[in-house]
Amino acid sequence: MTYDPNNVFAKILRGEIPCTKIHETDHTIAFHDIRPQAPVHVLVIPKGAYVSFDDFSSRASDAEIADFVRAVGDVARLVGVDGSGYRLIANHGENSHQEVPHFHIHIAGGHALGPMLMKMG
Ligand code: AMP
């Protein structure tokens, strides 16, 4: 899948639409999800143009990957869910219902999140 430079997170990265930024590093930014599905729901995204986890994990540099992973943990601590617990979600592709085609990790927490996935069947 080729990267669509008009996706909403690309526009956030270019400053064309606003976001509520929580954290920024050389290769990564984090901001609040616009439609939170938990009391804490933030998104961490690389600044580079990667469609999904599959794309990021295969093409990103070691520096980008290290920066991103470190930032995810830092953001979870910044928003205060490291003690109570949180869930990381990265949707890749059609079966996952990925909506925005720029790689992102959701950090969700702030209350008990329940079982991880809907039951099959
Ligand atoms: P996904 O289904 O994993 O692609 O999730 C995309 C997420 O992006 C959803 O949780 C949306 O609520 C969120 N989202 C979409 N547009 C924005 C925006 N402008 N600012 C912040 N979050 C957004």
Side-chain angles (χ1 to χ4, degrees):
M1 188 179 180
T2 52
Y3 184 80
D4 172 10
N6 290 317
N7 77 75
V8 67
F9 295 168
K11 290 179 180 174
I12 286 175
L13 284 165
R14 291 196 296 268
E16 293 167 9
I17 60 172
C19 72
T20 313
K21 198 185 291 179
I22 299 165
H23 188 57
E24 180 166 6
T25 66
D26 287 349
H27 297 293
T28 305
I29 70 167
F31 49 88
H32 288 282
D33 196 292
I34 205 168
R35 290 188 297 273
Q37 296 184 49
V40 173
H41 186 177
V42 302
L43 301 170
V44 188
I45 74 171
K47 291 180 178 175
Y50 300 103
V51 175
S52 69
F53 180 77
D54 182 67
D55 192 19
F56 184 71
S57 62
S58 60
R59 290 200 304 111
S61 67
D62 289 356
E64 289 174 296
I65 291 171
D67 181 289
F68 184 83
V69 172
R70 185 80 69 193
V72 171
D74 288 344
V75 170
R77 285 184 288 276
L78 276 172
V79 298
V81 293
D82 52 309
S84 53
Y86 57 88
R87 182 170 294 158
L88 303 180
I89 301 168
N91 292 316
H92 160 67
E94 189 179 348
N95 274 0
S96 76
H97 205 272
Q98 181 180 0
E99 290 179 359
V100 178
H102 180 112
F103 172 49
H104 51 282
I105 279 192
H106 300 252
I107 303 175
H111 69 185
L113 295 166
M116 189 170 72
L117 295 171
M118 284 187 293
K119 290 196 175 105
M120 292 195 296

